[in-house]
Amino acid sequence: MSAGRSALRMGPAELVQAAAMARRFYLEGKSKIQIAEEFGVSRFKVARVLETALERDLVRIEIRVPAELDAERSDALRARYGLRHAVVVESPAEEQDDAADPENLGEVAADLLGELVNEGDVLGLAWGRSTIHMAAALDRLPPCTVVQLTGVYDAGTAERGSVEAVRRAAQVSGGEAHPIYAPMLLPDPATAAALRHQTGIARAFEYFDKVTVAAVSIGSWEPGISTVHDMLSDEERGHYASLGVAAEMSAHLFDADGRRVGRDLGERCITVEADRLRRIPEVVAIAGGQRKAAAIGAVLRSGLVTSLVTDTAAADYLLTESTAPLRPALERADPDGD
């Protein structure tokens, strides 16, 4: 608190009283009723004094967030896409064009999950580098069940991937873990269907309808940025590219308008279905970087995501693009009308 010139127009008794009331309210956290009782005035008098203290510059309120968070872009992004939560972090000073999601996105997402998850919730984690980084950064979670929402990119790396992420989150929360020991993409629908009926995988799938908070990653349809893209043959990539695929999330493909394309791919995948994902109350997407910006926009228009953790590079694109009508995420609108 500091006394400005305009505050000097107040008499000394008014200044002292206003300063004391402001200290009680802003620094000591006392209510207006408590302050009124202490000073022997009405709570309405306290409210007027506090308002006058602000108007006359006796009290100055500064809103500060950690330097890495961009509050202005975060609020603008939330409003434009109708998101429940949008958190924008500063992009790395020397971002490479081919860089993957900045690791600090996972750290911020871990803090966000600490806010969103409540005791007794079911937390779902989909495969993705950003969700793996997030799980590694977790240091607090209330008691909850943790379930894996997709198979792994490579079953041989399960210990370093999504299986370990599920275990880590469950360890932090002290809850049960339900991992999926299976590849995300299978050679054909029959093999995928058979795996879904295996005991451990079926048990994880039973939790999909109970998930209350989910964390997912987003990929652009290009090498090194989309897990599914990298798992397919050249012929298959060309086929899905011809359908206009612009983004991938949890093995679901989307065009630039957020419409799902190449739905046959899902029959070969171990993943949460899109309609189940849409019913999850809170779906947090973690993705950033210039190369993913357009893909993030496509997924936001799909209505499957309610919240986003991204960086300034992607946010700047998302705040200026106008390639398709925006559908507020809170409505969970399906562009396909399904």
Side-chain angles (χ1 to χ4, degrees):
M1 291 179 289
S2 61
R5 289 184 178 180
S6 58
L8 295 178
R9 297 175 186 172
M10 300 173 68
E14 291 178 300
L15 277 171
V16 171
Q17 185 184 68
M21 288 184 177
R23 183 174 295 278
R24 302 290 194 281
F25 186 73
Y26 291 108
L27 299 183
E28 298 176 12
K30 291 188 176 180
S31 69
K32 293 174 184 177
I33 294 177
Q34 290 175 314
I35 297 170
E37 291 176 351
E38 178 181 349
F39 286 87
V41 297
S42 71
R43 61 186 178 89
F44 302 105
K45 167 71 172 179
V46 173
R48 286 196 299 272
V49 170
L50 293 175
E51 184 179 351
T52 300
L54 284 171
E55 291 175 349
R56 299 191 179 184
D57 206 24
L58 181 64
V59 173
R60 294 177 182 175
I61 298 176
E62 295 183 3
I63 300 174
R64 295 182 177 181
V65 296
E68 68 171 354
L69 299 182
D70 192 311
E72 185 175 352
R73 283 185 175 92
S74 297
D75 188 55
L77 199 60
R78 178 200 57 77
R80 174 158 196 186
Y81 286 88
L83 294 163
R84 186 171 289 118
H85 304 283
V87 182
V88 178
V89 305
E90 290 291 337
S91 299
E94 298 181 0
E95 182 183 10
Q96 301 297 320
D97 290 340
D98 60 349
D101 296 322
E103 289 194 20
N104 61 341
L105 292 187
E107 297 169 3
V108 173
D111 288 339
L112 180 60
L113 277 194
E115 294 183 67
L116 299 181
V117 176
N118 296 306
E119 183 173 352
D121 276 349
V122 177
L123 172 63
L125 300 181
W127 195 98
R129 296 179 185 89
S130 56
T131 52
I132 292 171
H133 289 153
M134 178 203 69
L138 284 171
D139 58 11
R140 63 185 177 95
L141 272 181
C144 64
T145 299
V146 186
V147 60
Q148 194 169 322
L149 296 178
T150 64
V152 297
Y153 172 57
D154 181 349
T157 62
E159 292 300 316
R160 301 188 302 276
S162 47
V163 169
E164 182 55 32
V166 169
R167 287 176 173 169
R168 166 66 181 168
Q171 179 184 31
V172 172
S173 73
E176 295 181 2
H178 294 276
I180 293 178
Y181 295 96
M184 181 188 296
L185 179 67
L186 281 303
D188 53 71
T191 304
L195 277 177
R196 292 189 198 104
H197 287 91
Q198 287 190 358
T199 303
I201 298 174
R203 186 177 298 117
F205 267 63
E206 289 173 359
Y207 276 91
F208 285 1
D209 287 328
K210 303 175 185 177
V211 174
T212 50
V213 181
V216 300
S217 296
I218 296 172
S220 301
W221 194 246
E222 54 183 308
I225 308 296
S226 164
T227 299
V228 173
H229 180 281
D230 292 345
M231 288 191 289
L232 296 173
S233 67
D234 290 339
E235 182 179 355
E236 290 171 324
R237 292 169 189 160
H239 166 66
Y240 292 116
S242 71
L243 300 179
V245 59
E248 174 261 318
M249 179 181 70
S250 303
H252 299 295
L253 309 182
F254 307 87
D255 67 11
D257 293 329
R259 297 184 177 87
R260 290 181 57 211
V261 296
R263 299 190 182 206
D264 61 303
L265 182 65
E267 299 175 4
R268 296 170 49 194
C269 293
I270 302 296
T271 186
V272 60
E273 300 94 326
D275 60 340
R276 280 178 160 175
L277 198 59
R278 196 181 303 278
R279 291 196 297 268
I280 296 174
E282 183 74 77
V283 179
V284 181
I286 313 161
Q290 294 180 6
R291 288 182 66 182
K292 283 192 177 183
I296 296 170
V299 172
L300 291 181
R301 282 187 286 274
S302 75
L304 293 173
V305 169
T306 61
S307 298
L308 175 69
V309 177
T310 190
D311 66 349
T312 52
D316 285 343
Y317 173 89
L318 293 168
L319 290 171
T320 57
E321 67 148 346
S322 58
T323 57
L326 302 181
R327 293 177 177 270
L330 291 184
E331 294 180 5
R332 312 307 291 272
D334 186 349
D336 294 316
D338 293 348

